[in-house]
Amino acid sequence: MKHTLIEQAQQVLRRNDRGTYTVPTHGLYPFQWNWDSALSALGFAHFDEARAWTEIDTLFAHQWEDGMVPHIIFHERDEGYFPGPDVWATGRTVPTSGITQPPVAGFAVRRMFEAAIDKNLATERAKALLPRIHAWHKWFSRSRDPQGSGLVAILHPWESGRDNSVDWDVALARVPTEGVEPFTRLDTHHANPAHRPTQSQYERYIWLVQNFRSLGWDSTRLHDASPFRVVDPGFNAILIRSCADLAELADQLDEPEIARQSREFAARGIAAMERLWSDVHGQYLCLDRTTGELIDSPSIGGLLAVFAAVPADKAAAIARRIDRLGDVAKFLVPSHDPSAAEFDALRYWRGPVWLIVNYMIADGLRHAGQHATVERIVGDSVQLIKRSGFAEYYSPVTAEPCGGVHFTWTAAMVLEFLAQPGAMA
Ligand code: GLC
């Protein structure tokens, strides 16, 4: 069984391979997505190391001059996706979107470097990527933390990677809809509309895009001009972890200055993260930077915080909280608390399980020594695949597969999970 799953996962990756980048899935997402690529590279690394490095090289070949790495790269024209390059209008030769996504590349590149069989290739590719990833991290600090708080804000729900999480509801409601140019959604042609964001959310997503476009995508202006500015613990944990991992990698590649700066970013971030802790929920919460208030929404973002080296008592509390969620949800980890009124088992990021988040939470908990919870998360993830295939996401109640099918990063995570000792007989 394990063997068959590995073969199937490799087939999904091959099927979505476009030579130098992979699409998340055919149809629904026909271009290159930022954090999909970084995580998918981990899957390729199990059977084709050169192809894995190319995935990340291609992503960084489209990095902007200011250091930003865009969330979508529109390598080819495809009329089946909205909003396409004409809506973003970022003026790039190969069109890209103008916002970013969770910066998981620092983590992925260290992992690929240390696991590499071909050390020469790994050294050459990692050395070239190191300053580019560092430039992206510095961009975050400058453009998304202009007051130097130690934590960065996202300016669009799509930047979080958790597009329609309950976490954004209040802040997104403040985004106007007047002046939104008429549009036709195409996502609902590819996937069940009941699994996707609502129309009202979509109008606000597009308003933000239009607003940033009117500012010429100048990242020195976007932060203060955006009505949506949220500090997401999950997003920050990914950045902090990537900075810490980049520091380790820089030590190994003899780049002491990158190592020093990256360590400093990570240390400041970890210290600042404590501002987001909620004793009531036993997890971290988002902070609305426009009001200065914590957002009372117990989502998976605050559990993903454990991907960074948070204090041991906080990691233990997160493990306990996940264990309790496991008492109510059949499959861990639901993207929203099933006992909350807003929970929706099938709708995108408002309840379903996503294997990429499971993977990062399990990795963080393993570092924190929370092995029993890790075992349950890994076991549930493999169960979901066995029952429902390589879906985009799954119901935590019934394991029903949702969203797109033959999903690249889901397949990549399966290869990662199954490579762990004792994952499955
Ligand atoms: C959805 C997800 C996002 C992902 C993209 C491509 O928009 O919310 O996290 O990057 O699909 O898979």
Side-chain angles (χ1 to χ4, degrees):
M1 183 69 190
K2 180 169 171 176
H3 215 71
T4 321
L5 281 183
I6 290 178
E7 266 173 23
Q8 287 171 350
Q10 292 188 1
Q11 271 168 21
V12 172
L13 261 65
R14 290 283 186 220
R15 172 193 181 118
N16 294 331
D17 185 357
R18 298 292 176 269
T20 54
Y21 67 96
T22 46
V23 295
T25 186
H26 176 76
L28 183 61
Y29 302 116
F31 313 108
Q32 183 177 22
W33 263 257
N34 184 326
W35 72 322
D36 294 63
S37 266
L39 292 165
S40 301
L42 296 175
F44 277 111
H46 286 277
F47 62 100
D48 188 343
E49 288 184 4
R51 179 62 189 80
W53 288 110
T54 299
E55 187 74 24
I56 302 200
D57 287 348
T58 305
L59 179 64
F60 278 87
H62 298 275
Q63 181 170 31
W64 287 17
E65 287 65 30
D66 63 2
M68 204 266 287
V69 183
H71 103 292
I72 304 176
I73 300 154
F74 300 102
H75 290 282
E76 287 177 6
R77 276 207 83 82
D78 190 311
E79 304 308 327
Y81 180 82
F82 176 86
D86 303 342
V87 179
W88 294 94
T90 54
R92 313 277 312 170
T93 318
V94 174
T96 73
S97 72
I99 57 173
T100 193
Q101 253 191 339
V104 74
F107 158 78
V109 165
R110 177 185 176 196
R111 171 142 181 74
M112 283 160 55
F113 178 78
E114 291 181 354
I117 294 166
D118 188 341
K119 290 290 177 202
N120 288 338
L121 178 72
T123 305
E124 181 201 319
R125 308 292 270 267
K127 241 185 184 320
L129 285 165
L130 195 70
R132 290 174 161 259
I133 300 174
H134 186 50
W136 190 19
H137 294 171
K138 286 195 289 189
W139 172 84
F140 270 113
S141 173
R142 274 194 319 272
S143 318
R144 298 311 179 77
D145 183 20
Q147 307 285 332
S149 74
L151 297 173
V152 299
I154 52 159
L155 306 184
H156 193 297
W158 290 343
E159 292 200 307
S160 72
R162 300 185 294 116
D163 302 17
N164 68 331
S165 168
V166 177
D167 293 353
W168 327 131
D169 286 359
V170 173
L172 197 63
R174 245 182 263 131
V175 173
T177 52
E178 294 81 46
V180 171
E181 292 153 13
F183 63 86
T184 307
R185 285 174 68 172
L186 297 171
D187 57 317
T188 42
H189 295 186
H190 298 288
N192 183 342
H195 298 176
R196 302 286 307 173
T198 62
Q199 184 63 18
S200 141
Q201 284 165 336
Y202 239 83
E203 284 171 11
R204 292 175 164 85
Y205 299 152
I206 300 306
W207 189 94
L208 286 168
V209 171
Q210 285 180 205
N211 183 240
F212 301 152
R213 188 180 69 197
S214 74
L215 298 170
W217 297 108
D218 174 354
S219 70
T220 62
R221 298 171 66 198
L222 264 45
H223 180 277
D224 291 355
S226 177
F228 183 93
R229 263 178 282 158
V230 178
V231 177
D232 170 13
F235 190 99
N236 276 277
I238 290 173
L239 177 59
I240 292 166
R241 174 67 184 271
S242 281
C243 287
D245 282 352
L246 205 71
E248 292 298 319
L249 187 64
D251 280 342
Q252 298 180 54
L253 295 173
D254 208 14
E255 291 283 357
E257 188 49 25
I258 295 185
R260 190 191 63 76
Q261 287 181 22
S262 301
R263 249 182 215 113
E264 202 177 289
F265 282 155
R268 283 183 47 219
I270 281 287
M273 188 87 104
E274 288 314 290
R275 161 90 177 82
L276 309 183
W277 182 258
S278 158
D279 274 331
V280 174
H281 292 291
Q283 65 164 87
Y284 294 91
L285 296 177
C286 288
L287 174 93
D288 192 332
R289 193 171 263 172
T290 54
T291 63
E293 306 271 318
L294 286 181
I295 300 172
D296 190 21
S297 167
S299 81
I300 204 166
L303 307 174
L304 178 54
V306 80
F307 190 49
V310 295
D313 61 323
K314 300 293 167 33
I318 288 176
R320 280 197 301 278
R321 172 134 172 80
I322 293 176
D323 294 344
R324 281 199 309 274
L325 290 174
D327 296 337
V328 277
K330 193 150 190 279
F331 300 95
L332 285 174
V333 182
S335 48
H336 203 73
D337 186 337
S339 55
E342 300 87 353
F343 173 80
D344 183 336
L346 300 181
R347 202 182 283 274
Y348 223 26
W349 290 95
R350 300 173 82 87
V353 178
W354 293 70
L355 289 208
I356 37 135
V357 188
N358 276 11
Y359 170 78
M360 288 184 277
I361 292 178
D363 181 87
L365 288 174
R366 191 176 299 110
H367 278 91
Q370 299 294 336
H371 298 294
T373 312
V374 172
E375 252 178 55
R376 166 90 198 260
I377 296 173
V378 174
D380 285 5
S381 303
V382 174
Q383 275 303 316
L384 286 169
I385 291 292
K386 287 207 305 200
R387 285 170 184 237
S388 305
F390 299 84
E392 187 176 6
Y393 46 98
Y394 307 86
S395 159
V397 182
T398 62
E400 181 183 332
C402 304
V405 292
H406 306 301
F407 228 82
T408 306
W409 65 4
T410 305
M413 294 302 97
V414 171
L415 293 174
E416 281 283 80
F417 283 132
L418 292 180
Q420 285 161 22
M424 186 184 157

